Amino acid sequence: DAGITQSPRYKITETGRQVTLMCHQTWSHSYMFWYRQDLGHGLRLIYYSAAADITDKGEVPDGYVVSRSKTENFPLTLESATRSQTSVYFCASSDSSGGTQYFGPGTRLLVL
Amino acid sequence: KQEVTQIPAALSVPEGENLVLNCSFTDSAIYNLQWFRQDPGKGLTSLLLIQSSQREQTSGRLNASLDKSSGRSTLYIAASQPGDSATYLCAVIDSWGKLQFGAGTQVVVTP
């Protein structure tokens, strides 16, 4: 029972590079979410998806791109990484719009 | 715009005492509310989900109440243990399922 996994767990990259963070869930949950956690700002929603091929922006979407071609996967791409995108990124999933959200272990990203 | 506040930001109690953690929100038009626990360097663990139609939800030593009209939720942890030391986060859920988090309360339970 893998649940929700994220990869890589740690990533160091340089400004301007493209980075993709992966999220995979085994529950066939319809809803998936990406959050970032920063000191002083807490957890903020980047993007969410209600189903395959349905995505929408959250509070802080600039500089990020998502796709959802399969229900179980929800990758997050930083098209051209900036230092301000250094953060811990969490993926979450839920079986309904107001249901319990389950979080992955997170990806720690450092942009130099 | 919805604002979620958790007071106090930090709390230290001796083992065995009951913990009371507060969460307030400015817009009462929430769908549900969820409480989480986060250990240092780890992900979020869901503790309880309270639906907007509920007043209370219980799981073991945990009890969470919700008063939508006053914009408040309280998480009670009975007979605290050192293993309860963590940061506790509340989040309101809108009709799209999006979470908006409070900043959290950091709890230390001393033996």
Side-chain angles (χ1 to χ4, degrees), chain A residues 72-91:
Chain A
E72 61 267 29
N73 297 325
F74 192 36
L76 176 74
T77 298
L78 288 65
E79 294 187 295
S80 178
T82 64
R83 290 194 182 90
S84 65
Q85 292 178 310
T86 292
S87 186
V88 181
Y89 291 86
F90 290 103
C91 178

Side-chain angles (χ1 to χ4, degrees), chain B:
Chain B
K1 183 187 172 188
Q2 177 76 269
E3 291 186 8
V4 183
T5 303
Q6 291 186 251
I7 295 174
L11 183 60
S12 180
V13 298
E15 183 177 3
E17 268 199 18
N18 296 332
L19 281 164
V20 180
L21 306 177
N22 298 303
C23 174
S24 62
F25 46 94
T26 54
D27 185 349
S28 62
I30 65 168
Y31 200 68
N32 294 325
L33 186 143
Q34 192 168 354
W35 281 93
F36 295 88
R37 167 190 173 131
Q38 186 174 31
D39 294 289
K42 304 291 186 184
L44 279 70
T45 301
S46 177
L47 297 174
L48 289 168
L49 176 87
I50 311 178
Q51 295 180 353
S52 60
S53 58
Q54 295 177 307
R55 302 277 297 180
E56 208 171 293
Q57 186 70 260
T58 298
S59 176
R61 293 186 295 115
L62 306 180
N63 175 279
S65 66
L66 175 63
D67 184 343
K68 276 184 59 177
S69 60
S70 66
R72 292 182 188 174
S73 178
T74 303
L75 178 67
Y76 302 90
I77 303 177
S80 61
Q81 304 167 357
D84 294 328
S85 298
T87 296
Y88 292 83
L89 296 149
C90 72
V92 298
I93 308 173
D94 69 13
S95 58
W96 294 96
K98 296 181 287 182
L99 294 179
Q100 182 149 356
F101 284 87
T105 295
Q106 187 174 7
V107 171
V108 174
V109 181
T110 55

Side-chain angles (χ1 to χ4, degrees), chain A residues 20-77:
Chain A
T20 296
L21 309 183
M22 304 301 293
C23 178
H24 176 77
Q25 50 101 358
T26 60
W27 297 305
S28 299
H29 283 171
S30 297
Y31 289 80
M32 295 188 75
F33 308 83
W34 275 105
Y35 297 89
R36 61 179 288 176
Q37 186 174 32
D38 305 286
L39 281 173
H41 291 282
L43 280 143
R44 294 176 292 174
L45 180 67
I46 305 171
Y47 268 96
Y48 67 104
S49 170
D53 297 322
I54 301 175
T55 62
D56 205 351
K57 297 177 181 179
E59 184 183 351
V60 288
D62 293 344
Y64 303 95
V65 174
V66 293
S67 62
R68 191 149 177 229
S69 57
K70 292 185 178 181
T71 299
E72 61 267 29
N73 297 325
F74 192 36
L76 176 74
T77 298

